[in-house]
Amino acid sequence: VFFFQIFAFLGLMCLILAIGNGIWEYDKGYYFQVYLPWAEGVNSASYSGFLMFWSYVIILNTVVPISLYVSVEIIRLGNSFYIDWDRKMYYPLNDTPAQARTTTLNEELGQIKYVFSDKTGTLTQNIMCFNKCSINGKSYGDVYDMSGQRIEINENTEKVDFSYNQLADPKFAFYDHSLVEAVKLSDVPTHRFFRLLSLCHTVMPEEKKEGNLVYQAQSPDEGALVTAARNFGFVFRARTPETITVVEMGETKVYKLLAILDFNNVRKRMSVIVRSPEGDLTLYCKGADTILYELLHSSCDSLKEETTEHLNEFAGEALRTLVVAYKNLDEDYFQDWIRRHHEASTALEGREEKLSELYEEIEKDLMLLGATAIEDKLQDGVPQTIETLAKANIKIWVLTGDKQETAMNIGYSCNLLNDDMEDVFIIEGRTSDDVLNELRNARKKMKPDSFLDSDEVNIQFEKSSKKPKIIPDEQANGVYGLVITGHSLAYALEGNLELELVRTACMCKVVICCRVTPLQKAQVVELVKKYKKAVTLAIGDGANDVSMIKTAHIGVGISGQEGMQAVLSSDFSFAQFRYLQRLLLVHGRWSYIRMCKFLKYFFYKNFAFTLVHFWYGFFSGFSAQTVYDEWFITLYNLVYTSLPVLGMSLFDQDVDDRWSMLFPQLYVPGQQNLYFNKMVFVKCMLQGIYSSLILFFIPYGAMYNTMRSDGKAIADYQSFALMAQTCLLIVVSVQIGLDTSYWTVVNQFFIWGSLSVYFAITFTMYSDGMYLIFTASFPFVGTARNTLSQPNVWLAIFLSITLCVLPVVGFRFLKAQLKPTPSDKVLLKIKEAKKRPPPPSPKRRLRRTSTRRSGYAFSHQHGFGALIMSGRNMRPKSPFATTGTFSPNSDKYKHKVL
């Protein structure tokens, strides 16, 4: 947009000068034909004006900042290196530094309005720990004192002794001794519970040394469950495509693996069918409680109620839950079922639908065993980071595949949601009409006057354009949160509801989307990009976040437990979510401010330089004569003004990183693009026009009919050109000094060095020796020493500098005093705070935990049951294992559970 305006301005100036040339040639040119004849082929004043138009296009083309692109890329590259070199974003535990994988988006980091984040592995560590469980209606995991009161578990709490199990994982910690006693007493439900955990999974074992088991799991949840079974005496030792070897309380048993009913996003469960060494056929199943409860036998109703109470308790602690069940199978029925299963698995058409029907058929009348609860701890600094980003007016949307209850509990844990909010709206309609009503009711409560009739809601596009309508920001009458389930989100993303969704959601401080697929994550990001004039950022750690990361303006990958897919698809990467605040509030903000200052100064100095030619045209018969020496024109952007602006753009900072983090409100101007927009560009142009007037008319007036002290005249073109270009260079150097907030040795060297180089080159090029050697190239012989030795010349230079700079200084002072921006107020607070000792770190109020149901802890990628049954990922058996083991060359399994 700015370049089109500049080209239009260039064309206007050239047209004015061309018309002026035609008029001058018609009215005055006749009298100068003797010594200023028209060029060959020019036979009219109008044709002369036409030629002068193109001559002035060449002379005034410096108003178009061609070299801007090169300088911008250098600045972006330098700011990218700052991110790579930042030790405060280096994670020593896994030797992971921050990395800028692109150099074109640094300044956009300072304009982020919406952050879309995954939950598991991004806000949480994605390192799962088996914390509690419910078996046959009894809850395990809590520790009680002698009086029966539950006590808090800490580092001094006595751990369960697993020394009786030689294959136990020494890193595994559990504190409830009653569960171990139940296992040792051969409690049937307890044994069946852990037998299920040791058999129903797609984990691959690796045993390089006797007893040293390493589990490669598709998801950290599966690894945690198999490790728990291992420590309680049911050790998953090895597997082949047909068998699973388990060491049960010291006795090795080989189960025949008959079928794996794999997990997917629709089933939300997985099952295995095995035959025990005794010949019993059993189906073991684990999955989401809402799914499995529908498949239970009616005899489990009372047990289901007890288990539900335990699930509610686990939910209050934000644990990831899973329900487990089993079913004994009849031999004849199974043989018929497995035959039909084989036919369905080999079908060429409708294979997935046929398999799904068979899975639904056999996974009925299950017997409930209990539930597991896994803890996925928050990453360090997540609550503080979210609180800081919220103060910076950044809206955070969490897009997760977990259940609503799990996501909400994590939301409360990490300060996304809190009890100070006016309300948290839950959108869980089962039809499009229900979703529409819930969204409207929420928006009506947040801002009653924004309520629209249904006719207006359906208007999504301008009638005259296919471009989507940009929705202005609307302020709610308080702080609200919104939670929407994946089923409701599917309706809300439809054409008639997406406008209602984005209006309602964007009025909330926090939005949590639960049970969403990777495609829906991308659709939500695209929706905000479509209707909001805002810069978006998506952050995630897994393959299911790639589509979201690629859709957002800026993608950030976290190198965590789920491989490198997110990192490889991202623009920036680091190891911990807490580094996001430094990336945005420090590096992003600095990059944005530096780029804005660079653009403002670059346009200003080019306008001031070029428009002097425009004014000179009115005094030179519009003859396309340049004001400056041709060497000055060549070196102005290349040497004299290039390094000072690069120094400011690479090193400038209004406040240091510590104050940027303490006052996140400083980030808000970047979101509103206040530092460089159309209005700022017009101000730069007007300042350049004003400066060019001063830089032309002050030297012109100072030189007009002027005599030297020895009586000789210096009112010549060459002396005027030297004086004008000297005034120009000193003025733009003073201007960059005013724009610089953070002075370094480099800035000083570049500014003073550029001025020194100018005078050195000027006196050299205008010397007698250069004239004698290159007579045609350096015609300004002696001009420098004759002109710059006069006191009145320096007085005129000082007057030009004062008149150019004084309005800028006065305007900035009065604006800061009479109409300060929020950023000016914060900077004033920082100046006052610097005079006092730093305040102590504020104590954070502990948020109460919510008592909402927790979600089901399982991977959200399609399972690898077919791969395991095929044996393509197996290698020859280990000398320590009874069967084949996992090949480490396979990249399907990324999670190690030691």
Side-chain angles (χ1 to χ4, degrees):
V1 177
F2 299 118
F3 283 94
F4 284 121
Q5 294 175 349
I6 292 173
F7 274 112
F9 184 64
L10 172 63
L12 178 63
M13 288 193 298
C14 295
L15 181 63
I16 293 172
L17 294 172
I19 294 173
N21 176 263
I23 295 173
W24 189 88
E25 289 289 354
Y26 180 82
D27 189 44
K28 301 289 185 182
Y30 174 81
Y31 303 105
F32 296 90
Q33 287 291 322
V34 176
Y35 58 91
L36 283 179
W38 283 346
E40 185 178 352
V42 178
N43 52 17
S44 67
S46 59
Y47 187 60
S48 174
F50 173 76
L51 294 179
M52 284 301 127
F53 176 86
W54 299 108
S55 297
Y56 273 112
V57 168
I58 297 173
I59 292 174
L60 302 179
N61 76 86
T62 50
V63 76
V64 181
I66 303 299
S67 61
L68 177 73
Y69 291 103
V70 178
S71 301
V72 164
E73 291 305 316
I74 294 174
I75 295 168
R76 286 172 169 172
L77 181 63
N79 288 323
S80 297
F81 280 132
Y82 291 150
I83 296 175
D84 295 341
W85 296 338
D86 193 343
R87 293 185 178 182
K88 294 182 179 179
M89 296 175 67
Y90 169 74
Y91 191 57
L93 294 183
N94 56 7
D95 191 26
T96 304
Q99 185 179 10
R101 300 174 56 82
T102 181
T103 61
T104 60
L105 299 172
N106 296 331
E107 60 273 10
E108 291 191 20
L109 287 172
Q111 300 175 272
I112 301 298
K113 187 71 175 290
Y114 294 91
V115 171
F116 300 90
S117 174
D118 180 37
K119 183 187 73 67
T120 304
T122 304
L123 301 179
T124 60
Q125 297 180 17
N126 203 17
I127 300 176
M128 312 300 176
C129 302
F130 184 84
N131 191 282
K132 294 181 181 182
C133 64
S134 172
I135 303 175
N136 198 31
K138 183 176 180 180
S139 177
Y140 296 96
D142 291 322
V143 180
Y144 300 88
D145 57 17
M146 298 299 295
S147 61
Q149 297 295 320
R150 188 169 69 175
I151 62 176
E152 183 179 353
I153 297 175
N154 53 44
E155 58 184 10
N156 298 321
T157 306
E158 182 184 1
K159 297 180 181 179
V160 170
D161 182 13
F162 292 107
S163 60
Y164 69 92
N165 182 1
Q166 295 181 353
L167 295 176
D169 183 357
K171 297 180 181 179
F172 181 82
F174 200 76
Y175 301 91
D176 188 354
H177 295 262
S178 62
L179 183 55
V180 178
E181 295 301 322
V183 173
K184 291 181 178 180
L185 292 174
S186 300
D187 181 65
V188 175
T190 304
H191 276 217
R192 186 175 284 134
F193 178 87
F194 285 112
R195 185 178 296 114
L196 183 150
L197 296 185
S198 66
L199 293 172
C200 185
H201 56 78
T202 57
V203 174
M204 300 300 296
E206 188 174 4
E207 189 173 3
K208 294 182 178 179
K209 295 181 181 180
E210 178 69 27
N212 184 15
L213 279 169
V214 177
Y215 290 145
Q216 306 282 355
Q218 179 187 355
S219 73
D221 305 82
E222 278 204 320
L225 294 175
V226 176
T227 301
R230 167 186 174 182
N231 276 64
F232 283 100
F234 290 76
V235 184
F236 168 57
R237 192 72 180 270
R239 74 155 72 238
T240 68
E242 297 85 18
T243 63
I244 298 177
T245 302
V246 179
V247 180
E248 296 184 1
M249 303 304 292
E251 179 183 356
T252 300
K253 292 187 177 182
V254 179
Y255 290 83
K256 188 173 182 180
L257 180 61
L258 302 176
I260 296 180
L261 284 58
D262 221 343
F263 170 89
N264 63 38
N265 288 328
V266 177
R267 287 167 42 77
K268 294 295 183 185
R269 64 187 184 275
M270 78 160 291
S271 301
V272 296
I273 301 176
V274 297
R275 188 187 299 275
S276 69
E278 293 79 16
D280 298 327
L281 277 174
T282 309
L283 180 146
Y284 292 107
C285 182
K286 64 181 180 182
D289 54 341
T290 54
I291 300 295
L292 257 65
Y293 276 179
E294 301 296 325
L295 307 176
L296 295 179
H297 192 273
S298 58
S299 62
C300 299
D301 290 345
S302 60
L303 178 58
K304 183 167 67 174
E305 292 179 3
E306 295 175 354
T307 305
T308 301
E309 291 181 5
H310 296 157
L311 286 171
N312 288 331
E313 294 175 6
F314 301 156
E317 302 173 28
L319 301 178
R320 296 160 64 91
T321 58
L322 188 72
V323 172
V324 295
Y326 76 101
K327 177 182 180 180
N328 293 321
L329 300 176
D330 178 72
E331 182 69 33
D332 294 335
Y333 168 75
F334 175 74
Q335 292 301 329
D336 177 66
W337 183 88
I338 199 66
R339 177 185 57 80
R340 290 183 286 130
H341 177 270
H342 176 72
E343 293 174 356
S345 62
T346 56
L348 298 179
E349 295 181 0
R351 179 171 55 184
E352 294 298 330
E353 292 78 7
K354 293 177 181 178
L355 287 175
S356 179
E357 291 177 3
L358 286 172
Y359 293 167
E360 294 285 343
E361 176 188 325
I362 200 169
E363 291 174 328
K364 288 182 178 179
D365 297 330
L366 302 178
M367 303 301 295
L368 180 61
L369 270 176
T372 62
I374 293 176
E375 181 181 13
D376 185 10
K377 296 181 179 179
L378 288 176
Q379 290 186 14
D380 294 338
V382 167
Q384 294 82 359
T385 299
I386 289 175
E387 186 176 343
T388 302
L389 294 179
K391 291 179 180 178
N393 199 33
I394 296 175
K395 296 184 178 181
I396 300 175
W397 293 31
V398 176
L399 312 177
T400 176
D402 282 345
K403 281 186 61 176
Q404 169 189 324
E405 294 83 359
T406 304
M408 290 186 68
N409 280 298
I410 293 295
Y412 279 100
S413 300
C414 61
N415 282 347
L416 275 170
L417 303 174
N418 57 70
D419 297 331
D420 296 334
M421 287 183 167
E422 299 289 336
D423 198 357
V424 177
F425 304 109
I426 299 178
I427 311 299
E428 50 186 355
R430 308 299 294 180
T431 65
S432 58
D433 291 337
D434 292 342
V435 174
L436 176 60
N437 291 332
E438 290 175 354
L439 289 172
R440 286 188 179 181
N441 291 336
R443 184 158 59 85
K444 187 174 183 179
K445 183 174 181 179
M446 289 187 288
K447 190 177 181 182
D449 57 355
S450 74
F451 190 75
L452 297 177
D453 293 330
S454 59
D455 297 340
E456 296 174 288
V457 174
N458 293 329
I459 300 175
Q460 296 182 59
F461 298 95
E462 306 271 356
K463 291 184 178 179
S464 60
S465 173
K466 294 182 179 180
K467 189 176 180 181
K469 181 181 179 182
I470 299 299
I471 302 174
D473 289 336
E474 299 176 279
Q475 297 296 327
N477 55 18
V479 179
Y480 295 89
L482 185 140
V483 179
I484 183 169
T485 62
H487 191 275
S488 301
L489 184 63
Y491 289 111
L493 291 173
E494 294 177 353
N496 293 336
L497 291 182
E498 63 177 15
L499 190 61
E500 189 69 36
L501 171 64
V502 74
R503 288 194 66 187
T504 303
C506 290
M507 290 173 67
C508 298
K509 191 70 174 177
V510 174
V511 177
I512 299 178
C513 300
C514 320
R515 287 293 178 90
V516 294
T517 64
L519 177 60
Q520 286 179 319
K521 291 183 179 182
Q523 288 175 330
V524 170
V525 177
E526 183 62 37
L527 183 66
V528 176
K529 287 177 61 179
K530 179 179 178 181
Y531 288 111
K532 285 292 182 178
K533 190 177 180 181
V535 182
T536 60
L537 180 145
I539 180 170
D541 72 315
N544 57 347
D545 303 317
V546 169
S547 58
M548 173 179 70
I549 288 173
K550 288 186 174 181
T551 303
H553 292 100
I554 297 177
V556 177
I558 291 183
S559 52
Q561 304 293 320
E562 295 194 21
M564 298 294 290
Q565 294 96 327
V567 171
L568 295 176
S569 303
S570 65
D571 303 304
F572 303 89
S573 65
F574 39 74
Q576 294 282 287
F577 181 83
R578 68 176 182 269
Y579 298 147
L580 180 63
Q581 62 177 327
R582 185 168 180 84
L583 180 71
L584 300 184
L585 302 185
V586 178
H587 293 287
R589 182 174 167 276
W590 282 350
S591 297
Y592 172 71
I593 292 176
R594 290 165 180 168
M595 186 61 69
C596 291
K597 284 188 174 183
F598 165 78
L599 292 174
K600 288 190 292 186
Y601 175 77
F602 204 95
F603 286 124
Y604 162 73
K605 74 180 181 68
N606 276 18
F607 276 113
F609 169 77
T610 305
L611 265 69
V612 174
H613 291 299
F614 179 78
W615 309 122
Y616 184 62
F618 290 90
F619 294 85
S620 61
F622 306 96
S623 60
Q625 169 68 40
T626 59
V627 177
Y628 315 114
D629 172 24
E630 60 183 15
W631 286 102
F632 179 81
I633 296 175
T634 302
L635 297 176
Y636 177 72
N637 279 322
L638 186 64
V639 176
Y640 298 148
T641 61
S642 60
L643 291 180
V645 69
L646 283 178
M648 179 188 69
S649 304
L650 290 174
F651 301 105
D652 197 52
Q653 47 183 266
D654 53 350
V655 293
D656 60 25
D657 57 342
R658 184 170 66 94
W659 294 108
S660 295
M661 302 281 277
L662 287 176
F663 291 91
Q665 300 88 343
L666 290 171
Y667 190 81
V668 175
Q671 296 173 330
Q672 302 170 353
N673 200 21
L674 295 180
Y675 292 151
F676 192 80
N677 49 43
K678 291 181 180 179
M679 183 59 67
V680 173
F681 174 74
V682 171
K683 289 180 180 179
C684 292
M685 186 161 48
L686 293 177
Q687 184 187 357
I689 294 173
Y690 168 76
S691 296
S692 67
L693 285 168
I694 299 298
L695 294 172
F696 175 78
F697 285 103
I698 295 296
Y700 179 83
M703 285 292 180
Y704 189 75
N705 290 333
T706 301
M707 305 290 291
R708 285 173 43 180
S709 57
D710 58 3
K712 295 181 179 180
I714 59 171
D716 58 84
Y717 161 72
Q718 294 179 342
S719 299
F720 166 72
L722 176 65
M723 185 176 177
Q725 66 194 38
T726 303
C727 289
L728 170 68
L729 191 61
I730 297 177
V731 164
V732 297
S733 297
V734 173
Q735 181 64 44
I736 201 170
L738 292 175
D739 291 341
T740 302
S741 302
Y742 184 71
W743 286 92
T744 65
V745 175
V746 177
N747 295 93
Q748 298 274 7
F749 176 76
F750 282 168
I751 293 176
W752 295 110
S754 295
L755 289 173
S756 301
V757 168
Y758 164 72
F759 285 108
I761 292 177
T762 298
F763 278 98
T764 301
M765 289 195 305
Y766 297 172
S767 65
D768 297 343
M770 292 298 291
Y771 176 75
L772 293 175
I773 299 173
F774 305 103
T775 304
S777 300
F778 300 100
F780 283 38
V781 57
T783 305
R785 63 175 180 268
N786 292 335
T787 304
L788 297 180
S789 61
Q790 302 302 310
N792 60 328
V793 171
W794 285 103
L795 181 63
I797 292 174
F798 176 77
L799 180 62
S800 299
I801 296 171
T802 303
L803 290 177
C804 286
V805 173
L806 192 61
V808 178
V809 176
F811 174 77
R812 292 182 181 180
F813 175 78
L814 292 176
K815 183 174 180 293
Q817 296 296 322
L818 302 178
K819 194 177 179 182
T821 63
S823 182
D824 293 332
K825 296 177 182 178
V826 173
L827 291 173
L828 181 61
K829 290 181 181 179
I830 293 176
K831 288 182 180 179
E832 295 174 352
K834 286 181 178 179
K835 302 175 183 178
R836 304 188 300 267
S841 301
K843 294 183 179 180
R844 304 187 182 275
R845 184 167 63 88
L846 182 64
R847 305 288 185 188
R848 69 168 180 85
T849 58
S850 171
T851 57
R852 293 170 173 81
R853 288 283 304 279
S854 181
Y856 129 74
F858 202 70
S859 169
H860 298 282
Q861 302 177 22
H862 194 283
F864 296 138
L867 181 66
I868 292 173
M869 296 293 289
S870 69
R872 291 194 302 271
N873 63 327
M874 301 293 180
R875 71 179 182 186
K877 63 182 182 179
S878 165
F880 304 108
T882 58
T883 55
T885 56
F886 165 69
S887 170
N889 296 325
S890 172
D891 61 352
K892 295 288 187 180
Y893 294 83
K894 299 295 183 182
H895 304 286
K896 285 192 175 182
V897 184
L898 300 178

